[in-house]
Amino acid sequence: MQELQALLETLGLDALYVTRPENVRYLSGFPHPEDAQVLLTGEGAFLLTDPRYPEAERESGIPAKVLRREEREALLKDLRGRVGFEAEHLPYAALERLREMAPVEWVPTKGVIERLRLRKTPEEVERIRKAQALAEKALEHALGLLRPGVEEREVALEVEFFLRKGGAEGVAFPPIVASGVRGALPHARASEKRLVAGEMVTLDLGAKVAGYHSDMTRTFALGKASSEMRRVYEAVQAALEVALENLRPGRTGKEVDALAREALGRHGLDRHFVHSLGHGVGLSVHEGPSLSPYAEEVLEPGMVVTVEPGVYLPGVGGVRVEELVLLTEDGIELLSRFPRGYLEV
């Protein structure tokens, strides 16, 4: 808590009003952050919620105030000085209401709590491990469903049901099941398309456990794939290996992204890699740090990132393989353990 109060001094603020749900949960541990806020002052951090959550004091890791509307307004009216708000999350209309309730100087801030979330604690890593282990069980289950005639959305629904039945709060994101030509769409949602023998099938899924997410992708051949798609798979696999070999603290995301693109370039496929190499994972399934052509930030131990090179050939198909990785003091640890070699099912 002293670190947070020192943060106020660094920012030149008397208080910070935190509204982004992931940041609220990070600061408080409260499992219903979409209906709460955290007010950080020189006296400490306080969770603010409403009478729908009478157990908030027990569920929160910081002092909680269960307030009716008029009580909330009275509390905010007592604020003084410069009060920061999360400019990237708070809607303008909500800011206007705050200004009416508390005529203090409202100061926009960006990425304040997000920067604290970049490096995971051992407890956070353990929650991500559990989410990843559950996702891998769901992927194993999904493999048994891949056969000609099955709809993509049938597989996606089975994955979601499996994760929830296994104890997940929910899916990290709607599972991606992209087969055949739809594999050329990096974020294709599962559709009514039926699987066809000889196609590549991309499965991208993750679980949410105790607020923390996992994320992984594997691409399989449904029967015997074409020689072209087998070549694409091997190129993606090579790019992934290069990235993992060079991913470590002290590197920038930009450097590792460039190495993966160079590896694909040796196969003449780099122009078909249309997204970033990876992203951070934690309370959000997409958060900092980034592995991209624009990521100048130096990677540090404790960060958890995906590494996910992909090749997408319009009208033909695509391949993506994604690992979940913890950066350690002397290198990396793979949090994803599911085999990633070429596999025909």
Side-chain angles (χ1 to χ4, degrees):
M1 196 55 62
Q2 290 180 342
E3 178 186 5
L4 294 175
Q5 291 170 320
L7 184 63
L8 290 180
E9 295 182 15
T10 301
L11 296 171
L13 298 174
D14 296 288
L16 178 63
Y17 187 61
V18 179
T19 54
R20 183 176 180 181
E22 295 88 350
N23 293 342
V24 170
R25 189 157 190 171
Y26 177 78
L27 294 172
S28 69
F30 187 58
H32 313 286
E34 64 281 354
D35 293 319
Q37 303 82 39
V38 167
L39 182 63
L40 176 62
T41 71
E43 299 176 356
F46 304 91
L47 178 81
L48 310 181
T49 189
D50 59 60
R52 289 175 294 173
Y53 301 100
E55 298 296 313
E57 184 72 45
R58 179 178 59 82
E59 294 180 301
S60 173
I62 59 176
K65 298 177 184 290
V66 178
L67 304 171
R68 298 188 302 274
R69 179 174 177 176
E70 57 272 22
E71 293 172 325
R72 177 186 296 271
E73 291 182 0
L75 182 147
L76 292 174
K77 284 179 181 177
D78 284 341
L79 293 175
R80 296 291 182 272
R82 290 164 50 85
V83 180
F85 67 93
E86 295 184 298
E88 295 169 303
H89 180 265
L90 189 70
Y92 183 77
L95 176 61
E96 287 296 286
R97 288 196 297 273
L98 287 173
R99 284 172 171 161
E100 292 173 2
M101 284 187 284
V104 296
E105 182 183 355
W106 288 94
V107 181
T109 67
K110 293 184 180 180
V112 173
I113 306 303
E114 287 83 351
R115 283 191 287 275
L116 300 179
R117 289 168 44 201
L118 288 173
R119 297 182 64 167
K120 273 54 179 181
T121 65
E123 293 76 17
E124 290 179 292
V125 173
E126 185 58 29
R127 292 179 179 182
I128 296 171
R129 285 187 201 279
K130 290 180 179 178
Q132 178 60 26
L134 183 54
E136 294 190 19
K137 290 179 181 178
L139 181 58
E140 184 69 41
H141 175 67
L143 271 180
L145 306 174
L146 300 184
R147 60 184 182 274
V150 173
E151 291 186 1
E152 293 175 347
R153 61 185 177 184
E154 290 181 65
V155 179
L157 286 170
E158 280 286 338
V159 165
E160 184 163 357
F161 179 73
F162 186 96
L163 290 172
R164 288 187 176 276
K165 188 177 180 181
E169 287 183 17
V171 293
F173 50 89
I176 293 172
V177 182
S179 61
V181 295
R182 297 191 73 253
L185 305 172
H187 280 180
R189 296 293 176 92
S191 73
E192 69 279 4
K193 180 188 175 301
R194 296 183 183 276
L195 307 186
V196 176
E199 293 181 329
M200 303 298 285
V201 184
T202 296
L203 299 177
D204 188 347
L205 64 137
K208 182 179 179 182
V209 173
Y212 286 79
H213 299 78
S214 63
D215 189 5
M216 68 177 303
T217 308
R218 293 293 186 270
T219 300
F220 305 100
L222 189 59
K224 190 168 184 61
S226 68
S227 58
E228 178 181 20
M229 293 309 297
R230 180 67 184 266
R231 183 181 76 87
V232 169
Y233 189 97
E234 291 173 353
V236 170
Q237 182 87 342
L240 176 61
E241 297 298 339
V242 167
L244 293 175
E245 288 169 6
N246 288 277
L247 181 64
R248 58 181 179 270
R251 289 276 196 178
T252 66
K254 182 177 182 178
E255 290 172 337
V256 183
D257 180 278
L259 291 170
R261 292 181 196 279
E262 288 173 11
L264 288 173
R266 289 192 283 273
H267 297 269
L269 293 169
D270 52 319
R271 67 188 180 93
H272 297 292
F273 180 24
V274 296
H275 55 71
S276 299
L277 178 64
H279 55 83
V281 176
L283 284 167
S284 297
V285 73
H286 289 92
E287 61 181 43
S290 172
L291 308 181
S292 82
Y294 314 103
E296 302 285 357
E297 188 172 37
V298 176
L299 301 172
E300 300 178 30
M303 293 178 170
V304 174
V305 298
T306 65
V307 182
E308 49 181 308
V311 168
Y312 310 94
L313 304 177
V316 178
V319 172
R320 179 168 69 255
V321 183
E322 176 183 26
E323 298 287 22
L324 187 61
V325 181
L326 168 67
L327 280 91
T328 64
E329 292 290 343
D330 53 3
I332 63 170
E333 176 191 343
L334 282 180
L335 300 181
S336 47
R337 301 299 181 88
F338 201 94
R340 61 173 180 263
Y342 177 81
L343 179 64
E344 294 178 353
V345 296

